[in-house]
Amino acid sequence: MRLDKVLGHVGYGSRKEVQKLIKSKKVTVDGKCVVKSEANVNPEMQAICVSGEDIDYQEFYYYLLNKPAGYVSATEDPRDETVIDLLETIDRNKELFPVGRLDKDTEGLLVLTNDGKLAHDLLSPKKHVDKTYYAKVAGKMVPEDIEIFAAGMTLNDGTTYRPGKLEIISSGEEISEIYVTISEGKFHQVKKMVRFVGKEVTYLQRIQMGQLKLPEDLALGEYRQLTKEELVALQQA
């Protein structure tokens, strides 16, 4: 791996800034000064120091974000702010991206990483990783709706949904509260499933993905690195 790419990855600035840093003879590899930005290094096996301090290198990063409404699940967007814009204290050189998508008006658990393999495993249709949502609904949810969700659905446009699990928390004439667990991630899926039984989602929050749960102490808009236990739970999804 190129030395300038390693230093950029761990937050020492843009490629131009890193190259200037290397030329200033402030970077050593295994105790020897290196002045060529293109020098090949192994950051996991070699001691790389900047101004005498060891760099803190990680190949992959895993963050948990409690996504607020109003942000799109993308790395960039010409019209809207993205979830990446929320990561004020994280260097863009880490090249993080969201694992899957939450609608712009949907809140809750969103994993951000630069680990493409993990993201692929979590999103692969073959894996059927469960995702659980809390929703407020305009309308009265009834026991028959549970059976319809459990049987799977085919919409009028031909879209099919695998069986899902509906739990009714409360059911009023005007407002109901529910949990919905699905093993797919199709566009507006929870909203469309609720609409299929004649109601409308007014608020949606993802609270779990696989075995990973949204922490109660992670406020809306806040983010942090996954713990080792949380990462293992996610990898076992």
Side-chain angles (χ1 to χ4, degrees), residues 21-22 26 34 56 66 75 79 91 104-105 107 115 121 125 132 140 144 158 164 177 186 205 207 212 225 227 231 236:
L21 179 67
I22 294 170
K26 294 182 179 179
V34 177
D56 182 18
N66 187 353
T75 55
R79 294 173 299 178
D91 193 280
K104 183 179 176 180
D105 62 350
E107 299 180 350
D115 186 343
D121 289 344
T132 300
K140 184 178 178 64
E144 289 79 3
E177 295 179 89
K186 295 182 179 179
Q205 177 194 43
I207 59 174
L212 179 63
Q225 289 200 60
T227 66
L231 179 57
Q236 292 176 343

Side-chain angles (χ1 to χ4, degrees), residues 27-164:
V27 180
T28 62
V29 179
D30 290 336
K32 297 180 181 179
C33 181
V34 177
V35 294
K36 292 185 177 180
S37 300
E38 68 274 17
N40 285 317
V41 297
N42 185 336
E44 296 181 344
M45 299 294 293
Q46 294 179 289
I48 303 173
C49 297
V50 176
S51 299
E53 294 186 4
D54 294 334
I55 67 167
D56 182 18
Y57 177 83
Q58 288 179 242
E59 182 177 6
F60 297 122
Y61 296 89
Y62 307 92
Y63 286 86
L64 176 60
L65 167 70
N66 187 353
K67 177 190 173 297
Y71 293 82
V72 295
S73 298
T75 55
E76 56 184 26
D77 189 275
R79 294 173 299 178
D80 297 305
E81 289 187 292
T82 74
V83 292
I84 300 299
D85 293 322
L86 291 165
L87 310 181
E88 297 176 350
T89 62
I90 299 176
D91 193 280
R92 292 297 179 101
N93 286 321
K94 288 184 170 62
E95 299 180 334
L96 300 175
F97 57 86
V99 178
R101 180 185 63 243
L102 288 180
D103 295 339
K104 183 179 176 180
D105 62 350
T106 299
E107 299 180 350
L109 186 156
L110 187 65
V111 174
L112 301 152
T113 185
N114 62 338
D115 186 343
K117 183 180 183 304
L118 176 67
H120 177 269
D121 289 344
L122 290 172
L123 300 175
S124 172
K126 296 180 181 179
K127 292 281 188 175
H128 299 303
V129 175
D130 283 345
K131 292 163 280 288
T132 300
Y133 298 80
Y134 163 78
K136 291 181 180 179
V137 174
K140 184 178 178 64
M141 301 296 292
V142 295
E144 289 79 3
D145 296 333
I146 297 175
E147 298 175 6
I148 294 172
F149 271 64
M153 301 175 184
T154 300
L155 306 187
N156 291 333
D157 64 3
T159 301
T160 60
Y161 295 136
R162 290 171 53 84

